[in-house]
Amino acid sequence: MADRQTGQDHMEGKEKLAFSAVILNGGQGVRFGGIDKQLLEIDGVPIGFALAKTLVQSCEEVLIVGKKNAIYKPLEVQQIEDAVPGLGPAGGLLAGMMKARADWIYLCAVDMPFFSYSLSKYMYGRALSKEADIIVCQYKGELQPFFAFYRKSLAGALASFVTSGAKPSLRRFISSRSYDLVSLKELQDIGEQEAIFCNINNSGSLDAARQIALEHGLFIDTRL
């Protein structure tokens, strides 16, 4: 079991990686009685703030797409609106691509707070060494559109995709492009994949996330 760590202790001495992180923050919180998901707390910390803080310490730029909130004021982040509202994660990714400075975008979701520096560093290394447009994990038999890298140069293709009239599924977009797959075996070698891909979308998954935090802390790398 990994020791529980604060964000500062967790990232001390780690190099900042030269990618832009984009956090999508557009969930309506319907299953939480309308509570804004970014304000849900683990260990007394809003999950949106926890994720943004670790990303600020990990990479060169952090953009948050969706509902703006004052909790991020202490952090060096940029809060922006969806480029085309109502198009889901694909539209949010497009908004981030249009504003990001780096050549590679690391897509995150506010309701997946267990960021892994080890995984991001491993995948970013793959991004720099491969010809693929997207570096993506496979978990539980499915491509995972979050905690995935996308080339900024995909913005034109993504804009055409989200305005094509069909439902803009990110998995469908990934499948239409050249992508490099991080296998389950690679994920197992890196660390706590069940924590990394924990998605807080109802009260049960929030309880599960809080249990993960009790066991590992909010910062779950096991190979730092």
Side-chain angles (χ1 to χ4, degrees):
M1 182 183 298
D3 292 334
R4 298 181 70 189
Q5 305 169 61
T6 67
Q8 190 64 41
D9 292 341
H10 171 75
M11 292 308 305
E12 187 175 353
K14 305 299 183 295
E15 65 174 315
K16 277 196 174 186
L17 304 173
F19 61 79
S20 295
V22 171
I23 303 173
L24 301 192
N25 189 29
Q28 300 301 310
V30 174
R31 296 174 184 173
F32 293 97
I35 297 173
D36 194 339
K37 275 190 178 183
Q38 64 191 325
L39 300 179
L40 295 171
E41 293 187 355
I42 295 178
D43 282 351
V45 180
I47 59 174
F49 180 87
L51 177 60
K53 181 179 179 181
T54 50
L55 286 165
V56 165
Q57 295 169 330
S58 302
C59 65
E60 291 297 328
E61 180 183 41
V62 178
L63 302 103
I64 302 174
V65 181
K67 294 171 289 186
K68 295 182 179 182
N69 196 285
I71 62 170
Y72 303 109
K73 283 187 177 180
L75 303 176
E76 294 181 11
V77 302
Q78 183 179 358
Q79 299 188 66
I80 61 177
E81 302 290 339
D82 272 315
V84 184
L87 294 178
L93 173 58
L94 177 60
M97 282 181 169
M98 293 169 64
K99 293 287 187 179
R101 297 192 302 265
D103 292 335
W104 283 97
I105 314 299
Y106 194 51
L107 185 64
C108 308
V110 76
D111 53 8
M112 295 175 66
F114 294 105
F115 168 74
S116 168
Y117 179 86
S118 292
L119 178 61
S120 68
K121 185 175 182 179
Y122 178 76
M123 294 179 73
Y124 184 55
R126 290 270 286 264
L128 296 179
S129 64
K130 300 286 185 178
E131 296 297 323
D133 291 327
I134 301 168
I135 312 296
V136 63
C137 296
Q138 185 174 44
Y139 180 63
K140 293 189 174 179
E142 291 189 319
L143 298 177
Q144 299 297 317
F146 295 103
F147 294 139
F149 277 96
Y150 301 80
R151 286 190 192 272
K152 178 178 170 66
S153 58
L154 285 174
L158 184 57
S160 297
F161 177 78
V162 299
T163 57
S164 64
K167 183 178 179 180
S169 160
L170 261 184
R171 286 194 176 99
R172 189 158 57 85
F173 179 73
I174 293 168
S175 297
S176 73
R177 311 302 303 182
S178 169
Y179 67 87
D180 186 48
L181 190 66
V182 178
S183 69
L184 178 59
K185 175 61 169 62
E186 290 170 291
L187 281 173
Q188 290 170 338
D189 290 341
I190 289 169
E192 304 289 341
Q193 70 272 12
E194 289 190 12
I196 293 167
F197 293 106
C198 174
N199 178 210
I200 300 173
N201 53 27
N202 54 40
S203 58
S205 55
L206 178 59
D207 289 342
R210 286 171 172 161
Q211 184 61 40
I212 290 169
L214 282 174
E215 296 175 1
H216 302 287
L218 266 171
F219 313 101
I220 45 73
D221 278 309
T222 59
R223 202 180 66 168
L224 291 180

